């Protein structure tokens, strides 16, 4: 008899013994009696095995205990109920040590580098305080419902993003494989940004920060040292700050590469920095959520401490108020522009991060009755507030830079993305008292913000593969994680070349954005229209004792698909003009970028064709089988029978 692992026992028991009962129910070979008795396989105190007194597989029968065995017995020969709990020879599913481990992991995943550099830039670019209106609307009607849906799916089905589809809509299983490929592409370039930050961190352990002077070998004649004490120096349009030259000519060495057609050699300094980053990543996730759940207590909380320190310091700088006014001054006319709403939708989507398989993976390690509804509201709120707080941290410093150079804030804030952190903010830190201290904690914060998201992204892939191929990988997790990290490192080598910054930008614009949004669009359609919101809400009710309200149902069925379709169409109608420094990406790079994006998404139609070709029966039967979910959940793991 093939045995399955039990996930839930005694659903009516709403008391505090749920988790204990769940853990104890995972012991193999146990028979639970309706009167509270427990019999073990091969128990010498009862009849077992091959005679009339045994149940199949060596389980004892429910013979009534004698008076000597206790007062709780029933009269001999009375009808007794047997609750046979099916168990498994496989190891029970790992769970979080504490609820806070899960919350910090989700917050650490959602709060990443984009919260620090992308949100403030998009906010001031799209009307300042007026941008908060479309941002909040997109969060309430699009981002948070998707966030909630993925947590609930992962927690109920207790599976990664590949194997979960057999319980939802088997023909859409290609979505899981596409998510894993997208996660690999992200790992190829995202960790390189942390390698840059590590380079800066190591360079900060000097009495004089190297990006404050123009006397270094990498500096040019246009370098202009412009500190707050240099009142006799005039800043011109041709001037280049030492911070910008340190970033472009020493860290990236981008001047040695003419473009994507000739990337140049690998920078050995950045290669060593990235190797150190991946070493930290490996030893943080190799044992599963038990280890990564402990690491995030540092990596998820330390950035908030640094943000508060930098906010207090930035607020005391001269000219800080100019930056804050520029950040929040509403321009209501901008709301009439379609671009503002596109940016708001894209920002909230990439900030919360549904569709990357991470939320499903993290939630699958939760107790079955965990209230993921509260978790979704809490973590998504923390994420949005962090983005808002980061804007003050960034723009107080930009106001200070504008005051110091006697120019407008909009001129200082012309750079977006990593340049905002590695050039503008690094230069501002260099002008502060105790510059070395602030530089160290700032770049430590950048590294930790990135580490959380890397832990999560790779855990999504690991959980998906281990759940899909348990016989092959479940007992070889450490080796599989090592192989995955090595693949990510080798894939990232192109981003460590002299032209590596161009590759990072290409991946960022094309490889992940359109593909993951399309994947999530199909995910919502599969869950809401094929699996059905009624069935999904029944699953949520089984877990938490209440069903999602009308608002959530409408969002899942109609608003979220429209929200995602709106972003997809906007990407196609208004393709981004990709430019980095003085390099304008030629047309062939756009084709290359879309090819990389399609290479992941192609898994979805490819698996549909594979499923229809390999299934048995007529075409109609194959199609029906492809959209019919396999039952899932703890309710299928309990058999109730009667015996005398």
């Amino acid at each position: 008899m093939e045995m399955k692992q039990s996930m839930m026992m005694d659903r009516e028991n709403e008391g505090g013994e749920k988790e204990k009962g769940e853990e104890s129910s995972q012991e193999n070979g146990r028979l639970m009696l309706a009167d509270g008795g427990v019999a073990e396989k091969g128990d010498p105190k009862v009849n077992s095995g091959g005679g009339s007194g045994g149940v199949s597989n060596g389980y004892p029968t429910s013979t009534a205990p004698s008076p000597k065995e206790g007062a709780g017995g029933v009269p001999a020969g009375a009808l007794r109920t047997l609750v046979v709990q099916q168990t498994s020879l496989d190891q029970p599913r790992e769970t979080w040590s504490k609820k806070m481990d899960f919350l910090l992991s989700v917050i650490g995943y959602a709060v990443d580098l984009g919260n620090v550099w992308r949100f403030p830039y998009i906010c001031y670019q799209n009307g300042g305080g007026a941008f908060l209106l479309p941002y909040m609307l997109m969060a309430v009607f699009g981002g948070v419902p998707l966030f909630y849906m993925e947590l609930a799916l992962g927690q109920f089905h207790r599976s990664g993003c590949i194997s979960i589809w057999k319980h939802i809509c088997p023909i859409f299983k290609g979505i899981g494989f596409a998510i894993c490929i997208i996660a690999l592409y992200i790992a190829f370039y995202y960790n390189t940004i942390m390698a840059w930050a590590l380079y800066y961190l190591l360079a900060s352990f000097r009495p004089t920060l190297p990006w404050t002077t123009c006397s270094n070998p990498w500096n040019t004649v246009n370098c202009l040292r412009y500190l707050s004490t240099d009142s006799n120096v005039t800043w011109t349009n041709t001037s280049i700050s030492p911070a910008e030259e340190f970033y472009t000519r020493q860290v990236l060495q981008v001047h040695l590469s003419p473009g994507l057609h000739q990337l140049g050699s690998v920078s050995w300094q950045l290669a060593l920095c990235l190797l150190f980053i991946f070493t930290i990543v490996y030893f943080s996730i190799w044992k599963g959520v038990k280890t990564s759940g402990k690491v995030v207590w540092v990596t998820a909380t330390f950035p908030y401490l640094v943000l508060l320190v930098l906010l207090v310091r930035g607020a005391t700088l001269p000219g800080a108020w100019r930056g804050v006014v520029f950040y929040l001054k509403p321009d209501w006319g901008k709301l009439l522009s379609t671009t503002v709403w596109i940016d708001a939708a894209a920002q909230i989507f990439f900030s919360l991060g549904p569709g990357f398989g991470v939320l499903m993976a993290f939630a699958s390690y939760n107790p079955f009755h965990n209230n993921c509804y509260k978790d979704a509201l809490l973590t998504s709120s923390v994420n949005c507030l962090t983005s808002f707080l980061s804007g003050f941290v960034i723009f107080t410093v930009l106001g200070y830079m504008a005051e110091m150079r006697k120019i407008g804030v909009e001129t200082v804030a012309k750079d977006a993305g990593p340049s905002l952190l590695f050039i503008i903010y690094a230069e501002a830190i260099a002008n502060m008292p105790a510059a070395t201290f602030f530089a160290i904690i700032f770049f430590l914060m950048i590294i930790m913000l990135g580490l959380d998201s890397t832990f999560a992204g790779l855990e999504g892939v690991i959980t998906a593969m281990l759940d899909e191929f348990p016989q092959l990988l479940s007992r070889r997790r450490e080796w599989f994680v090592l192989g995955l990290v090595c693949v990510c490192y080798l894939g990232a080598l192109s981003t460590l070349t002299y032209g590596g910054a161009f590759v990072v930008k290409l991946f960022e614009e094309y490889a992940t954005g359109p593909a993951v949004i399309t994947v999530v669009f199909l995910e919502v359609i599969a869950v809401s229209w094929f699996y059905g919101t009624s069935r999904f809400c029944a699953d949520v009710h089984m877990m938490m004792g209440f069903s999602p309200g009308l608002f959530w149902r409408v969002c899942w069925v109609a608003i979220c698909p429209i929200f995602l379709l709106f972003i997809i169409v906007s990407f196609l109608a208004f393709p981004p003009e990709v430019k980095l420094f003085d390099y304008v990406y030629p047309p062939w790079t756009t084709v290359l970028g879309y090819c990389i994006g399609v290479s992941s998404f192609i898994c979805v139609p490819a698996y549909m064709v594979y499923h229809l070709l390999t299934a048995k029966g007529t075409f109609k039967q194959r199609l029906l089988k492809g959209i019919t979910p396999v039952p899932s959940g703890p309710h299928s793991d309990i058999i109730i029978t009667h015996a005398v």
Side-chain angles (χ1 to χ4, degrees):
M1 169 180 163
E2 184 177 350
M3 315 290 276
K4 288 178 60 182
Q5 178 181 329
S6 171
M7 297 180 187
M8 180 185 75
M9 214 26 224
D10 197 7
R11 190 157 58 95
E12 288 75 13
N13 180 12
E14 298 291 337
E17 296 296 319
K18 279 180 183 175
E19 293 182 19
K20 293 181 181 177
E22 198 168 324
E23 292 173 7
S24 63
S25 70
Q26 301 196 7
E27 298 178 19
N28 291 322
R30 174 169 287 190
L31 185 68
M32 303 188 70
L33 307 181
D35 63 350
V38 177
E40 299 290 349
K41 186 174 179 177
D43 195 331
K45 290 189 283 188
V46 293
N47 297 329
S48 63
S52 60
V55 182
S56 65
N57 242 11
Y59 290 100
T61 58
S62 55
T63 16
S66 66
K68 294 180 182 179
E69 293 175 322
V74 294
L79 189 68
R80 306 177 70 203
T81 300
L82 302 185
V83 182
V84 181
Q85 182 174 356
Q86 300 184 67
T87 56
S88 170
L89 297 178
D90 298 332
Q91 294 180 348
R93 190 170 186 83
E94 190 177 12
T95 56
W96 298 97
S97 300
K98 296 179 182 178
K99 174 67 174 287
M100 190 57 71
D101 292 359
F102 165 70
L103 292 177
L104 287 176
S105 295
V106 174
I107 290 172
Y109 160 67
V111 178
D112 65 349
L113 298 174
N115 293 74
V116 177
W117 78 51
R118 196 167 188 270
F119 177 83
Y121 176 80
I122 287 180
C123 187
Y124 92 77
Q125 193 180 45
N126 291 294
F131 176 75
L132 297 178
L133 176 62
Y135 179 76
M136 292 307 299
L137 288 175
M138 291 296 180
V140 170
F141 291 101
V144 177
L146 290 171
F147 198 85
Y148 177 24
M149 184 187 77
E150 286 215 349
L151 287 180
L153 284 173
Q155 184 170 304
F156 182 81
H157 297 288
R158 302 178 74 81
S159 299
C161 63
I162 298 178
S163 56
I164 196 173
W165 286 101
K166 68 182 178 185
H167 306 304
I168 299 174
C169 191
I171 203 169
F172 281 96
K173 192 175 181 178
I175 290 176
F177 292 105
I179 288 172
C180 291
I181 294 175
I182 291 170
L184 282 179
Y185 288 157
I186 294 173
F188 288 168
Y189 78 87
Y190 189 81
N191 298 282
T192 300
I193 300 173
M194 284 187 285
W196 300 344
L198 180 59
Y199 191 103
Y200 268 85
L201 177 65
L202 296 175
S204 300
F205 289 95
R206 301 181 186 179
T208 302
L209 297 176
W211 58 87
T212 59
T213 62
C214 290
S215 57
N216 303 290
W218 59 82
N219 292 124
T220 65
V221 293
N222 292 325
C223 180
L224 182 64
R225 184 174 181 267
Y226 194 90
L227 299 176
S228 53
T229 54
D230 299 329
S231 56
N232 58 338
V233 176
T234 303
W235 184 266
T236 65
N237 291 332
T238 59
S239 301
I240 302 176
S241 68
E244 182 176 349
E245 291 202 342
F246 178 77
Y247 177 58
T248 58
R249 299 179 65 84
Q250 174 63 10
V251 179
L252 303 182
Q253 301 183 68
V254 75
H255 64 288
L256 299 177
S257 170
L260 278 172
H261 60 283
Q262 189 176 338
L263 294 176
S265 305
V266 172
S267 169
W268 66 267
Q269 297 98 327
L270 292 180
L272 289 178
C273 289
L274 186 63
L275 180 63
F276 182 75
I277 292 294
F278 271 120
T279 302
I280 296 175
V281 169
Y282 174 72
F283 286 107
S284 297
I285 64 175
W286 68 322
K287 292 291 186 183
V289 295
K290 296 289 187 184
T291 53
S292 63
K294 297 295 179 288
V295 177
V296 293
W297 281 81
V298 177
T299 57
T301 56
F302 181 77
Y304 285 97
L305 178 63
V306 177
L307 282 174
L308 289 175
V309 171
L310 293 175
L311 177 62
V312 172
R313 183 69 190 99
T316 60
L317 294 171
W321 63 272
R322 291 179 58 188
V324 174
V325 169
F326 187 80
Y327 173 46
L328 293 180
K329 185 180 179 181
D331 182 0
W332 300 107
K334 290 266 192 178
L335 296 182
L336 300 176
S337 171
T338 312
T339 309
V340 174
W341 295 87
I342 294 172
D343 285 345
Q347 173 60 26
I348 192 65
F349 176 83
F350 289 114
S351 182
L352 291 176
F356 293 94
V358 174
L359 300 176
M360 284 184 189
F362 280 170
S364 72
Y365 298 112
N366 275 336
F368 183 76
H369 295 287
N370 175 63
N371 192 333
C372 59
Y373 172 67
K374 288 184 179 178
D375 295 344
L377 295 181
L378 174 65
T379 50
S380 56
S381 299
V382 169
N383 176 67
C384 294
L385 290 173
T386 304
S387 297
F388 190 58
L389 173 68
S390 300
F392 287 98
V393 174
I394 295 295
F395 274 92
T396 51
V397 169
L398 293 182
Y400 164 64
M401 294 293 293
E403 180 81 11
M404 190 177 66
R405 292 182 178 177
K406 304 295 188 294
I407 56 178
V409 180
E410 66 279 359
T411 307
V412 178
K414 63 183 178 181
D415 292 316
S419 299
L420 188 64
L421 302 180
F422 293 112
I423 298 177
I424 304 296
Y425 213 92
E427 184 176 1
I429 286 176
N431 286 294
M432 296 179 185
T436 299
F437 168 74
F438 284 110
I440 290 171
I441 64 169
F442 176 73
F443 291 113
L444 264 179
M445 178 190 76
I446 298 300
I447 293 170
M448 291 190 180
L449 283 172
L451 282 175
D452 288 334
S453 298
T454 297
F455 296 161
L458 293 183
E459 186 60 55
V461 177
I462 294 164
T463 299
M465 298 303 289
L466 263 61
D467 287 345
E468 180 65 12
F469 308 104
Q471 296 84 3
L472 179 65
L473 300 175
S474 61
R475 298 185 182 277
R476 302 179 180 89
R477 178 188 170 101
E478 292 87 350
W479 289 105
F480 174 69
V481 175
L482 179 62
L484 179 64
V485 169
C486 289
V487 168
C488 293
Y489 183 79
L490 293 175
L493 287 179
S494 63
T495 65
L496 304 177
T497 58
Y498 298 145
F502 303 137
V503 180
V504 170
K505 185 73 172 176
L506 182 74
F507 270 113
E508 189 179 8
E509 293 291 341
Y510 293 110
T512 56
V516 77
I517 295 173
T518 308
V519 163
V520 177
F521 173 73
L522 293 176
E523 179 184 311
V524 174
I525 295 297
V527 173
S528 301
W529 296 3
F530 287 86
Y531 188 69
T533 51
S534 298
R535 184 182 296 174
F536 178 57
C537 291
D539 295 344
V540 175
H541 186 274
M542 183 182 293
M543 287 192 298
M544 296 184 288
F546 61 88
S547 294
L550 181 63
F551 167 78
W552 300 104
R553 294 170 185 253
V554 172
C555 284
W556 290 326
V557 171
I559 298 178
C560 286
I562 294 172
F563 164 78
L564 293 165
L565 196 60
F566 172 68
I567 306 176
I568 295 169
V569 171
S570 69
F571 266 114
L572 298 176
F574 309 104
E577 181 186 356
V578 186
K579 180 183 178 183
L580 184 65
F581 306 124
D582 296 326
Y583 178 69
V584 178
Y585 284 62
W588 67 267
T589 60
T590 304
V591 177
L592 175 63
Y594 279 119
C595 287
I596 296 173
V598 170
S599 68
S600 58
F601 176 72
I602 199 69
C603 293
V604 181
Y607 186 83
M608 289 180 176
V609 173
Y610 167 78
H611 188 278
L612 292 174
L613 290 177
T614 56
K616 297 180 180 179
T618 64
F619 180 78
K620 184 178 180 180
Q621 290 172 333
R622 298 178 191 182
L623 191 60
L624 187 62
K625 185 179 180 182
I627 61 175
T628 303
V630 177
S632 172
H635 48 278
S636 64
D637 292 333
I638 298 173
I639 296 176
I640 299 180
T641 186
H642 298 280
V644 176

